[in-house]
Amino acid sequence: MTRWPDIEPPARDATPRPTLFLDRDGCLNVDRDYLADPAQVELVPGAAGALRRARAAGYRLIGVSNQSGLGRGRFARAELDAVMTRLDELLRAADAPLDAFYYCPHAPQDGCACRKPRTGLLDEAAREFFWDPARSWVIGDKVSDVDLARAAGLRGILVLTGHGADERRRLVDREGVLVRPDLAAAIATALEDRP
Ligand SMILES: [Mg+2]
Ligand SMILES: [Zn+2]
């Protein structure tokens, strides 16, 4: 698994915080097939405002993304870096920056530990952050996102942007998964939930 930006993270913050683990493509930004061009980075409408509200409410925001385009040779690390730089710019301009972003660079057949729904990206995040599992969520547009939530003992929300409308049909036999139209609605649900 890999962190973006690829810097040594600061010392672990010992305060458990409510945390949103956010899928990237089809959740934060409009899905493009193997997005590799920074000019094609476009935030999902309403996403930035919702992220800002979550930050103001004390939530940590951590990106978790499968980027198998790297492992499949569809794009290079420099292209991923350019896309991430652009996404970061857009989020900062909206006063909604992520606290960290972790991605899996492998292809499905690599059998790595970090490709969602496996928990490697969260295991990596746990070296840097504590979260309160009762108030933390995984939000994304694929079944692998809500299955990651279950594997990590968190709650999951499937958004219907990106691949969500198709993926929803594969949600059979998964109890407790919430479905919301988009990231803004998903975050509103998380913020309303006060155990
Ligand atoms: Mg996605
Ligand atoms: Zn991986």
Side-chain angles (χ1 to χ4, degrees), residues 1 104-106 112-115:
M1 68 287 315
C104 164
H106 306 109
C112 67
C114 52
R115 182 171 167 80

Side-chain angles (χ1 to χ4, degrees), residues 23-27 31 116 140-142 145 163:
D23 174 46
R24 196 190 82 176
D25 302 304
C27 178
D31 188 68
K116 296 181 290 183
D141 70 326
K142 291 199 172 171
D145 293 302
H163 293 270

Side-chain angles (χ1 to χ4, degrees), residues 7-86:
I7 55 168
E8 191 60 33
R12 193 180 188 202
D13 180 345
T15 313
R17 294 248 303 266
T19 298
L20 303 180
F21 292 96
L22 303 161
D23 174 46
R24 196 190 82 176
D25 302 304
C27 178
L28 279 174
N29 54 278
V30 175
D31 188 68
R32 318 268 188 217
D33 210 21
Y34 297 109
L35 173 59
D37 175 1
Q40 298 226 316
V41 178
E42 180 188 348
L43 295 176
V44 166
L51 295 171
R52 203 162 50 236
R53 288 189 288 281
R55 284 186 70 88
Y59 284 71
R60 212 174 253 132
L61 309 176
I62 300 179
V64 285
S65 180
N66 286 347
Q67 289 297 321
S68 71
L70 287 166
R72 299 176 203 261
R74 296 285 296 261
F75 52 78
R77 188 82 54 152
E79 292 171 293
L80 178 88
D81 204 49
V83 166
M84 287 305 304
T85 298
R86 179 63 183 147

Side-chain angles (χ1 to χ4, degrees), residues 20 50 53 139 157 180 182-193:
L20 303 180
R53 288 189 288 281
I139 304 172
I157 303 179
R180 293 292 180 269
D182 58 18
L183 181 61
I187 287 179
T189 292
L191 296 191
E192 282 162 13
D193 184 80

Side-chain angles (χ1 to χ4, degrees), residues 69-187:
L70 287 166
R72 299 176 203 261
R74 296 285 296 261
F75 52 78
R77 188 82 54 152
E79 292 171 293
L80 178 88
D81 204 49
V83 166
M84 287 305 304
T85 298
R86 179 63 183 147
L87 179 63
D88 189 49
E89 275 173 10
L90 291 172
L91 291 173
R92 284 179 192 284
D95 204 20
L98 303 182
D99 293 285
F101 184 92
Y102 300 92
Y103 64 93
C104 164
H106 306 109
Q109 67 269 21
D110 291 344
C112 67
C114 52
R115 182 171 167 80
K116 296 181 290 183
R118 292 189 280 272
T119 59
L121 299 177
L122 268 59
D123 297 340
E124 184 75 5
R127 298 183 188 190
E128 195 171 343
F129 303 106
F130 279 99
W131 53 87
D132 174 358
R135 294 186 63 199
S136 297
W137 305 73
V138 181
I139 304 172
D141 70 326
K142 291 199 172 171
V143 171
S144 56
D145 293 302
V146 297
D147 282 354
L148 169 64
R150 174 187 292 200
L154 309 177
R155 284 172 292 172
I157 303 179
L158 185 85
V159 292
L160 297 177
T161 48
H163 293 270
D166 286 335
E167 293 278 309
R168 180 183 205 168
R169 288 188 245 120
R170 299 181 49 226
L171 276 180
V172 288
D173 296 334
R174 287 172 177 79
E175 285 173 28
V177 172
L178 301 178
V179 178
R180 293 292 180 269
D182 58 18
L183 181 61
I187 287 179

